[in-house]
Amino acid sequence: MKTVQEQVLELLKNVLGGIPLPPHPFLREEVAAWDSLKHLEIIFVLEEEFGIRISAEQAADIRGSQDLVDLVEGSRHGA
Amino acid sequence: MEHEITVEGYGVRLRPIRLSDAAFVHGLRRTPELAKFIGDTDPRLEKQVEWLEQYFQRDGDYYFIVETLSQKPLGTIGIYNMTDGRAEWGRWVLLPGCHAAPASALLMYRVAFEMLKLRELYCRTVEQNVKVLSFHDHCGLERTGYERNGARIRDEWVNLIVHTARAEEWDKIRKNLHISAKMAERWLKEEASK
Protein backbone atom coordinates (compact mmCIF):
# COMPACT_ATOMS: atom_id res chain seq x y z
CA MET A 1 0.00 0.00 0.00
CA LYS A 2 1.32 3.43 -0.91
CA THR A 3 2.19 5.91 1.80
CA VAL A 4 0.56 9.36 1.87
CA GLN A 5 3.86 10.84 0.72
CA GLU A 6 4.01 8.53 -2.28
CA GLN A 7 0.41 9.30 -3.19
CA VAL A 8 0.94 13.05 -2.88
CA LEU A 9 4.09 12.97 -5.02
CA GLU A 10 2.31 10.92 -7.67
CA LEU A 11 -0.59 13.38 -7.65
CA LEU A 12 1.81 16.31 -7.97
CA LYS A 13 3.56 14.70 -10.90
CA ASN A 14 0.24 14.00 -12.66
CA VAL A 15 -1.18 17.50 -12.18
CA LEU A 16 2.09 19.14 -13.21
CA GLY A 17 2.11 17.24 -16.47
CA GLY A 18 4.56 14.47 -15.65
CA ILE A 19 7.61 16.72 -15.48
CA PRO A 20 10.60 15.54 -13.43
CA LEU A 21 10.31 16.86 -9.87
CA PRO A 22 13.17 17.60 -7.46
CA PRO A 23 13.78 15.09 -4.65
CA HIS A 24 11.18 15.33 -1.88
CA PRO A 25 10.83 17.58 0.07
CA PHE A 26 10.94 20.50 -2.37
CA LEU A 27 9.53 24.01 -2.44
CA ARG A 28 7.02 25.51 -4.87
CA GLU A 29 9.62 28.00 -6.00
CA GLU A 30 11.86 25.15 -7.17
CA VAL A 31 9.24 24.06 -9.71
CA ALA A 32 8.34 26.69 -12.32
CA ALA A 33 5.29 24.70 -13.41
CA TRP A 34 3.78 24.90 -9.89
CA ASP A 35 2.12 28.24 -10.66
CA SER A 36 -1.05 29.71 -9.16
CA LEU A 37 -3.25 27.90 -11.69
CA LYS A 38 -1.71 24.52 -10.95
CA HIS A 39 -1.66 25.24 -7.23
CA LEU A 40 -5.46 25.52 -7.22
CA GLU A 41 -5.75 22.38 -9.35
CA ILE A 42 -3.46 20.49 -6.97
CA ILE A 43 -5.67 21.47 -4.03
CA PHE A 44 -8.79 20.43 -5.96
CA VAL A 45 -7.37 17.00 -6.81
CA LEU A 46 -5.98 16.57 -3.29
CA GLU A 47 -9.46 17.17 -1.84
CA GLU A 48 -11.01 14.71 -4.27
CA GLU A 49 -8.38 12.00 -3.76
CA PHE A 50 -8.23 12.12 0.01
CA GLY A 51 -11.77 13.28 0.82
CA ILE A 52 -10.55 16.28 2.76
CA ARG A 53 -11.44 19.97 2.69
CA ILE A 54 -8.73 22.62 2.53
CA SER A 55 -9.34 26.24 3.44
CA ALA A 56 -7.87 29.26 1.66
CA GLU A 57 -5.66 29.92 4.69
CA GLN A 58 -4.31 26.37 4.65
CA ALA A 59 -3.69 26.59 0.91
CA ALA A 60 -1.83 29.86 1.34
CA ASP A 61 0.51 28.18 3.83
CA ILE A 62 1.55 25.46 1.41
CA ARG A 63 5.14 26.18 0.49
CA GLY A 64 6.12 22.81 -0.87
CA SER A 65 5.61 19.06 -1.13
CA GLN A 66 6.05 18.34 2.59
CA ASP A 67 3.30 20.83 3.49
CA LEU A 68 0.92 18.89 1.24
CA VAL A 69 1.82 15.62 2.97
CA ASP A 70 1.41 17.21 6.40
CA LEU A 71 -1.94 18.68 5.39
CA VAL A 72 -3.32 15.31 4.31
CA GLU A 73 -2.00 13.48 7.34
CA GLY A 74 -3.24 16.22 9.68
CA SER A 75 -6.69 16.21 8.11
CA ARG A 76 -6.93 12.44 8.44
CA HIS A 77 -5.88 12.42 12.07
CA GLY A 78 -8.20 15.31 12.83
CA ALA A 79 -11.16 13.63 11.10
CA MET B 1 -11.98 54.65 -22.81
CA GLU B 2 -15.15 54.97 -20.80
CA HIS B 3 -16.59 51.54 -21.61
CA GLU B 4 -19.58 49.90 -19.96
CA ILE B 5 -18.57 46.24 -19.96
CA THR B 6 -19.18 44.33 -16.74
CA VAL B 7 -18.90 40.55 -16.48
CA GLU B 8 -18.96 38.22 -13.53
CA GLY B 9 -18.43 34.56 -12.76
CA TYR B 10 -16.61 32.27 -10.33
CA GLY B 11 -17.15 34.75 -7.50
CA VAL B 12 -15.37 37.57 -9.32
CA ARG B 13 -16.51 40.60 -11.30
CA LEU B 14 -14.72 42.71 -13.91
CA ARG B 15 -16.14 46.23 -14.05
CA PRO B 16 -15.00 49.44 -15.75
CA ILE B 17 -12.32 51.29 -13.85
CA ARG B 18 -13.34 54.67 -12.40
CA LEU B 19 -11.36 57.73 -11.43
CA SER B 20 -12.18 56.95 -7.81
CA ASP B 21 -10.13 53.72 -8.17
CA ALA B 22 -6.91 55.71 -8.65
CA ALA B 23 -5.70 55.32 -5.06
CA PHE B 24 -6.33 51.57 -5.05
CA VAL B 25 -4.52 51.08 -8.38
CA HIS B 26 -1.63 53.27 -7.30
CA GLY B 27 -1.20 51.36 -4.02
CA LEU B 28 -1.51 48.02 -5.77
CA ARG B 29 1.11 48.79 -8.41
CA ARG B 30 3.52 49.99 -5.75
CA THR B 31 3.21 46.82 -3.64
CA PRO B 32 6.88 45.77 -3.35
CA GLU B 33 6.39 42.08 -4.18
CA LEU B 34 4.43 42.98 -7.33
CA ALA B 35 6.38 46.00 -8.54
CA LYS B 36 9.40 43.98 -9.70
CA PHE B 37 7.47 42.56 -12.66
CA ILE B 38 5.38 45.54 -13.77
CA GLY B 39 6.25 48.85 -15.36
CA ASP B 40 7.43 51.62 -13.09
CA THR B 41 4.72 53.53 -11.25
CA ASP B 42 5.26 57.16 -10.35
CA PRO B 43 5.21 57.62 -6.55
CA ARG B 44 2.80 60.56 -6.93
CA LEU B 45 -0.88 59.63 -6.80
CA GLU B 46 -1.77 62.61 -9.00
CA LYS B 47 0.20 61.00 -11.85
CA GLN B 48 -2.05 57.93 -11.59
CA VAL B 49 -5.10 60.22 -11.73
CA GLU B 50 -3.66 61.95 -14.81
CA TRP B 51 -2.98 58.59 -16.45
CA LEU B 52 -6.58 57.50 -15.88
CA GLU B 53 -7.93 60.79 -17.23
CA GLN B 54 -5.94 60.21 -20.43
CA TYR B 55 -7.09 56.58 -20.53
CA PHE B 56 -10.75 57.67 -20.50
CA GLN B 57 -10.10 59.61 -23.74
CA ARG B 58 -8.37 56.69 -25.50
CA ASP B 59 -10.38 54.46 -27.86
CA GLY B 60 -9.89 50.71 -27.99
CA ASP B 61 -8.67 50.50 -24.43
CA TYR B 62 -10.67 48.49 -21.87
CA TYR B 63 -9.36 48.73 -18.33
CA PHE B 64 -11.13 46.80 -15.56
CA ILE B 65 -11.14 46.54 -11.83
CA VAL B 66 -11.24 42.93 -10.63
CA GLU B 67 -13.45 42.76 -7.54
CA THR B 68 -15.42 40.29 -5.44
CA LEU B 69 -19.18 40.13 -5.85
CA SER B 70 -19.38 42.21 -2.66
CA GLN B 71 -17.29 44.90 -4.43
CA LYS B 72 -14.00 44.38 -2.63
CA PRO B 73 -11.27 45.34 -5.13
CA LEU B 74 -8.75 42.58 -5.82
CA GLY B 75 -6.79 43.94 -8.75
CA THR B 76 -6.80 45.15 -12.33
CA ILE B 77 -6.77 43.75 -15.86
CA GLY B 78 -7.00 45.36 -19.30
CA ILE B 79 -7.34 44.87 -23.05
CA TYR B 80 -5.66 47.49 -25.26
CA ASN B 81 -3.58 48.21 -28.38
CA MET B 82 -6.46 46.97 -30.55
CA THR B 83 -5.79 46.72 -34.29
CA ASP B 84 -7.69 44.68 -36.88
CA GLY B 85 -9.24 42.21 -34.45
CA ARG B 86 -6.03 41.77 -32.53
CA ALA B 87 -5.24 43.22 -29.11
CA GLU B 88 -2.88 42.99 -26.19
CA TRP B 89 -4.00 42.14 -22.68
CA GLY B 90 -2.22 42.98 -19.48
CA ARG B 91 -2.14 45.44 -16.58
CA TRP B 92 -2.90 42.21 -14.76
CA VAL B 93 -2.05 42.96 -11.16
CA LEU B 94 -3.78 41.17 -8.29
CA LEU B 95 -3.46 41.46 -4.54
CA PRO B 96 -1.07 38.75 -3.35
CA GLY B 97 -2.87 35.60 -2.23
CA CYS B 98 -6.32 36.65 -3.46
CA HIS B 99 -6.88 33.56 -5.69
CA ALA B 100 -8.58 35.61 -8.42
CA ALA B 101 -6.07 34.84 -11.18
CA PRO B 102 -7.94 32.04 -13.00
CA ALA B 103 -11.36 33.73 -12.80
CA SER B 104 -10.08 37.16 -13.84
CA ALA B 105 -8.18 35.72 -16.81
CA LEU B 106 -11.17 33.61 -17.83
CA LEU B 107 -13.54 36.58 -17.66
CA MET B 108 -11.08 38.72 -19.61
CA TYR B 109 -10.93 36.08 -22.38
CA ARG B 110 -14.74 36.01 -22.38
CA VAL B 111 -14.82 39.77 -22.93
CA ALA B 112 -12.19 39.56 -25.66
CA PHE B 113 -13.58 36.67 -27.66
CA GLU B 114 -17.34 36.77 -26.98
CA MET B 115 -18.06 40.48 -26.53
CA LEU B 116 -15.33 42.31 -28.44
CA LYS B 117 -15.16 39.48 -31.01
CA LEU B 118 -11.37 39.64 -31.21
CA ARG B 119 -9.64 36.99 -33.26
CA GLU B 120 -6.32 37.14 -31.44
CA LEU B 121 -5.10 38.28 -28.07
CA TYR B 122 -1.49 38.45 -26.94
CA CYS B 123 0.26 39.24 -23.71
CA ARG B 124 3.86 40.08 -22.87
CA THR B 125 5.48 38.78 -19.68
CA VAL B 126 8.83 39.59 -18.13
CA GLU B 127 11.17 36.66 -18.80
CA GLN B 128 12.02 36.24 -15.11
CA ASN B 129 8.34 36.05 -14.08
CA VAL B 130 8.37 32.27 -14.42
CA LYS B 131 5.14 31.63 -12.51
CA VAL B 132 3.10 33.85 -14.82
CA LEU B 133 4.82 32.39 -17.88
CA SER B 134 3.86 28.95 -16.59
CA PHE B 135 0.28 30.15 -15.97
CA HIS B 136 -0.06 31.16 -19.63
CA ASP B 137 1.52 27.91 -20.80
CA HIS B 138 -0.95 25.90 -18.71
CA CYS B 139 -3.86 27.91 -20.10
CA GLY B 140 -2.85 26.46 -23.45
CA LEU B 141 -1.36 29.59 -24.98
CA GLU B 142 1.45 29.34 -27.47
CA ARG B 143 4.71 31.24 -26.97
CA THR B 144 4.86 33.31 -30.13
CA GLY B 145 7.53 35.89 -29.57
CA TYR B 146 10.53 37.16 -27.66
CA GLU B 147 11.28 40.84 -27.23
CA ARG B 148 14.84 41.55 -26.17
CA ASN B 149 14.91 44.66 -23.96
CA GLY B 150 11.14 44.92 -24.46
CA ALA B 151 10.48 46.94 -21.31
CA ARG B 152 12.26 49.01 -18.73
CA ILE B 153 11.63 48.27 -15.04
CA ARG B 154 13.47 50.05 -12.25
CA ASP B 155 15.99 51.51 -14.70
CA GLU B 156 16.86 48.13 -16.18
CA TRP B 157 15.92 46.67 -19.52
CA VAL B 158 14.07 43.36 -19.31
CA ASN B 159 13.26 40.76 -21.98
CA LEU B 160 9.64 39.84 -22.65
CA ILE B 161 7.99 36.58 -23.71
CA VAL B 162 4.90 36.91 -25.92
CA HIS B 163 2.00 34.45 -25.58
CA THR B 164 -0.88 34.44 -28.06
CA ALA B 165 -4.45 33.15 -27.70
CA ARG B 166 -6.62 32.73 -30.80
CA ALA B 167 -10.41 32.88 -30.84
CA GLU B 168 -10.67 29.25 -31.95
CA GLU B 169 -8.71 28.24 -28.83
CA TRP B 170 -11.10 29.98 -26.42
CA ASP B 171 -13.01 26.82 -25.54
CA LYS B 172 -9.79 24.97 -24.70
CA ILE B 173 -8.56 27.92 -22.62
CA ARG B 174 -11.86 28.06 -20.74
CA LYS B 175 -11.59 24.35 -19.88
CA ASN B 176 -8.00 24.75 -18.71
CA LEU B 177 -9.02 27.55 -16.33
CA HIS B 178 -12.32 26.10 -15.12
CA ILE B 179 -11.24 23.77 -12.27
CA SER B 180 -8.91 26.32 -10.69
CA ALA B 181 -11.49 29.08 -10.99
CA LYS B 182 -14.12 26.87 -9.31
CA MET B 183 -11.72 26.05 -6.48
CA ALA B 184 -10.95 29.73 -5.93
CA GLU B 185 -14.65 30.61 -6.07
CA ARG B 186 -15.33 28.47 -2.99
CA TRP B 187 -12.61 30.30 -1.05
CA LEU B 188 -13.87 33.69 -2.15
CA LYS B 189 -17.33 32.73 -0.90
CA GLU B 190 -15.91 31.47 2.38
CA GLU B 191 -14.03 34.73 2.87
CA ALA B 192 -17.13 36.78 2.05
CA SER B 193 -19.20 34.91 4.63
CA LYS B 194 -16.77 35.61 7.50
Side-chain angles (χ1 to χ4, degrees), chain B residues 60-181:
Chain B
D61 194 327
Y62 298 80
Y63 200 6
F64 298 90
I65 287 288
V66 180
E67 63 179 19
T68 64
L69 300 185
S70 56
Q71 300 180 331
K72 179 190 170 196
L74 300 173
T76 61
I77 198 165
I79 300 170
Y80 42 91
N81 291 338
M82 290 176 69
T83 321
D84 298 330
R86 186 169 186 264
E88 178 170 1
W89 78 275
R91 300 180 196 144
W92 192 32
V93 189
L94 298 169
L95 290 171
C98 78
H99 305 297
S104 58
L106 195 153
L107 292 173
M108 184 280 308
Y109 284 120
R110 186 187 295 171
V111 170
F113 293 128
E114 295 183 8
M115 303 173 84
L116 301 177
K117 305 288 185 192
L118 295 172
R119 62 176 171 78
E120 208 169 274
L121 198 60
Y122 65 93
C123 58
R124 302 183 303 155
T125 308
V126 174
E127 190 176 27
Q128 286 76 22
N129 198 353
V130 291
K131 296 295 181 184
V132 170
L133 290 172
S134 173
F135 184 100
H136 297 318
D137 292 338
H138 285 138
C139 284
L141 272 58
E142 188 185 344
R143 294 190 183 201
T144 53
Y146 183 79
E147 296 180 12
R148 186 171 297 282
N149 297 333
R152 203 163 166 81
I153 297 177
R154 292 183 179 176
D155 295 328
E156 283 191 19
W157 288 104
V158 293
N159 303 325
L160 302 174
I161 307 280
V162 182
H163 280 88
T164 300
R166 296 172 186 86
E168 58 269 27
E169 296 167 333
W170 163 219
D171 201 44
K172 175 187 74 178
I173 295 167
R174 186 199 336 246
K175 283 176 186 158
N176 287 340
L177 286 164
H178 175 73
I179 287 178
S180 301

Side-chain angles (χ1 to χ4, degrees), chain A residues 4-22:
Chain A
V4 168
Q5 181 181 309
E6 287 168 339
Q7 291 176 76
V8 166
L9 293 176
E10 194 174 302
L11 178 154
L12 268 175
K13 190 159 190 168
N14 288 339
V15 174
L16 295 176
I19 58 166
L21 296 172

Side-chain angles (χ1 to χ4, degrees), chain A:
Chain A
M1 188 174 168
K2 288 179 182 168
T3 64
V4 168
Q5 181 181 309
E6 287 168 339
Q7 291 176 76
V8 166
L9 293 176
E10 194 174 302
L11 178 154
L12 268 175
K13 190 159 190 168
N14 288 339
V15 174
L16 295 176
I19 58 166
L21 296 172
H24 175 78
F26 55 87
L27 297 172
R28 275 183 70 179
E29 62 209 44
E30 294 177 64
V31 183
W34 192 342
D35 56 48
S36 62
L37 188 66
K38 286 295 168 185
H39 188 60
L40 287 159
E41 200 175 320
I42 288 163
I43 304 295
F44 177 85
V45 177
L46 206 67
E47 287 193 338
E48 294 279 307
E49 288 276 319
F50 294 98
I52 59 175
R53 197 168 169 89
I54 298 166
S55 69
E57 290 80 7
Q58 287 173 311
D61 287 339
I62 295 169
R63 289 163 305 152
S65 57
Q66 186 60 47
D67 288 332
L68 289 177
V69 175
D70 292 344
L71 195 58
V72 172
E73 289 181 336
S75 299
R76 283 180 159 183
H77 293 144

